[in-house]
Amino acid sequence: YDLIFGPAYKGIPLAAAVATSLAARGRDLGFAYNRKEVKDHGEGGVLVGASVQGRRVVIIDDVLTAGTALRQAVALVREHGGDPVAAVIALDREERGNGALSAVQEAEAELGLRVIPLVSVREVMSYLQSKGLEPGAIDAMRQYQQTYGIS
């Protein structure tokens, strides 16, 4: 990959932080993000930053719930001539999609790119339990996962 893309709004600071960190380690990549509303003055348009045209793009965002934001980001990158090659998300909520697959698995299959979570909700729950979070809170999280999560 040679460009980092942050979808509006939460993905923007995450992608900026990743691009900055990589640059500090000697990997200077392009960085771009989108606006929710098209701007008709200044540099205008919906995309800001480096051109995605002809670039291999990694999309960085906070969480994937239904995958709507990721689908929109992939479509936008492709529309502007970029090649989305992967998505990195901070948290995989491990929730079911529309069928038997998780929302992450559905997005991967539909979009043809790998979605890489940094941490899963199960890992977060395990960590919180090891730190003595109130048992009732852990039970509520488990109940939510039983209702909406993947098995």
Side-chain angles (χ1 to χ4, degrees):
Y1 62 96
D2 55 4
L3 187 128
I4 302 291
F5 182 84
Y9 288 101
K10 294 176 186 171
I12 296 170
L14 295 173
V18 169
T20 301
S21 180
L22 288 170
R25 290 172 172 76
R27 181 107 194 258
D28 192 15
L29 300 173
F31 166 64
Y33 61 93
N34 67 300
R35 296 183 173 103
K36 292 265 187 180
E37 301 83 22
V38 176
K39 188 175 172 186
D40 62 0
H41 61 282
E43 63 183 70
V46 70
L47 293 182
V48 179
S51 172
V52 301
Q53 177 73 38
R55 308 292 282 278
R56 294 176 46 84
V57 180
V58 170
I59 298 167
I60 299 181
D61 211 350
D62 62 338
V63 66
L64 187 147
T65 303
T68 305
L70 179 59
R71 285 175 181 86
Q72 291 171 346
V74 166
L76 188 62
V77 168
R78 287 179 177 155
E79 176 185 320
H80 287 85
D83 178 21
V85 295
V88 176
I89 57 172
L91 175 67
D92 181 355
R93 293 172 56 142
E94 297 180 312
E95 291 186 10
R96 287 188 307 274
N98 293 318
L101 300 176
S102 74
V104 166
Q105 291 168 325
E106 283 182 357
E108 286 181 322
E110 179 185 329
L111 300 170
L113 64 121
R114 184 157 178 230
V115 178
I116 305 161
L118 299 180
V119 67
S120 73
V121 72
R122 289 178 203 194
E123 292 168 323
V124 170
M125 288 170 38
S126 176
Y127 174 80
L128 292 173
Q129 186 173 10
S130 76
K131 295 299 180 185
L133 181 67
E134 175 187 330
I138 295 291
D139 290 341
M141 292 172 78
R142 281 197 183 108
Q143 181 61 42
Y144 182 90
Q145 282 304 110
Q146 287 176 352
T147 303
Y148 301 104
I150 56 174
S151 53

